[in-house]
Amino acid sequence: MNTKLFSRRSALVSVLVIVSVFMNSLLNYLTQLADLPIFMDSMFTVLGTALLGPWWGMVIGVSTNLLMDALQGFSGILWPFAAAQIVTVLVTHIMIRRNALKTVLGVTLFICILAVLNALAGTVIAVFAFGGFTLKRFDFIVHALIQSGQSIFSSAFVTRVVINIVDKGIAVLVLMALFPKLRQYLKPGGEEQ
């Protein structure tokens, strides 16, 4: 193996992982600062997974949630949602391997599957760890749905699906725009291919 090539790849991987964790955290912070009811904490998890493969994607996703929780004074609310980041990684990896970015139908399925499965993971965490409320801007929607007669689970899930369609839709569309340009620097899917 060419050590110069290996060294270049290792440096690029390290930089991409660090930048991805920072950018996920920054985007999430900016949406909170702007009081927007979206997450924006996994755009670079999606991109990192597509470029580096699932193991590095998991490092990015879990590290993002740990950093965000630390930046919020270790509130304990954000780190459990690292499990939702892992779901994002697994769906992204599968959809990239299936060439989902090549067709409109593939991109649409990618967004929908990612949004629904991520919302399901987030709902399970929110309901069982926090009673359905996570001190986010959209909690008022969850509360309104509960007041209308819906269960806590369905209220949290419906709210998260809608948010995730926007949130993960943006992430997948950014990936679709950047992936062809960036994959020339790193082999797609990491070292598995």
Side-chain angles (χ1 to χ4, degrees):
M1 175 183 284
N2 185 340
T3 56
K4 188 174 182 180
L5 180 64
F6 180 75
S7 176
R8 178 178 176 265
R9 176 169 168 68
S10 296
L12 285 171
V13 167
S14 298
V15 168
L16 185 57
V17 168
I18 292 167
V19 168
S20 295
V21 171
F22 174 77
M23 290 303 295
N24 276 344
S25 301
L26 178 63
L27 287 172
N28 181 263
Y29 173 75
L30 292 174
T31 59
Q32 287 180 359
L33 194 61
D35 209 19
L36 298 173
I38 57 175
F39 304 111
M40 295 306 292
D41 62 350
S42 60
M43 182 180 304
F44 286 84
T45 303
V46 169
L47 186 60
T49 300
L51 292 171
L52 303 173
W55 297 113
W56 285 114
M58 287 184 202
V59 168
I60 292 167
V62 171
S63 297
T64 294
N65 279 66
L66 292 174
L67 177 61
M68 290 186 315
D69 198 63
L71 292 173
Q72 288 192 358
F74 298 102
S75 66
I77 292 175
L78 295 173
W79 70 263
F81 290 94
Q85 289 269 18
I86 292 170
V87 169
T88 296
V89 168
L90 295 174
V91 171
T92 299
H93 180 66
I94 290 166
M95 297 308 282
I96 291 298
R97 305 262 303 169
R98 298 201 181 257
N99 295 314
L101 296 177
K102 294 191 180 216
T103 66
V104 173
L105 177 60
V107 170
T108 303
L109 285 173
F110 191 171
I111 293 168
C112 291
I113 292 168
L114 187 54
V116 169
L117 292 180
N118 196 281
L120 183 60
T123 299
V124 168
I125 296 162
V127 169
F128 292 105
F130 306 108
F133 300 99
T134 55
L135 305 176
K136 292 285 189 180
R137 175 76 171 139
F138 56 82
D139 277 349
F140 76 93
I141 300 170
V142 175
H143 182 71
L145 289 171
I146 292 169
Q147 293 301 313
S148 74
Q150 301 298 313
S151 70
I152 291 173
F153 192 89
S154 65
S155 299
F157 179 70
V158 167
T159 302
R160 280 175 171 73
V161 166
V162 172
I163 291 167
N164 273 304
I165 286 173
V166 173
D167 188 63
K168 302 311 182 257
I170 292 169
V172 171
L173 293 174
V174 167
L175 174 64
M176 187 177 71
L178 296 179
F179 187 61
K181 295 174 180 80
L182 293 176
R183 70 179 172 183
Q184 67 187 344
Y185 297 105
L186 293 166
K187 191 175 183 180
E191 296 178 11
E192 299 174 327
Q193 295 185 5

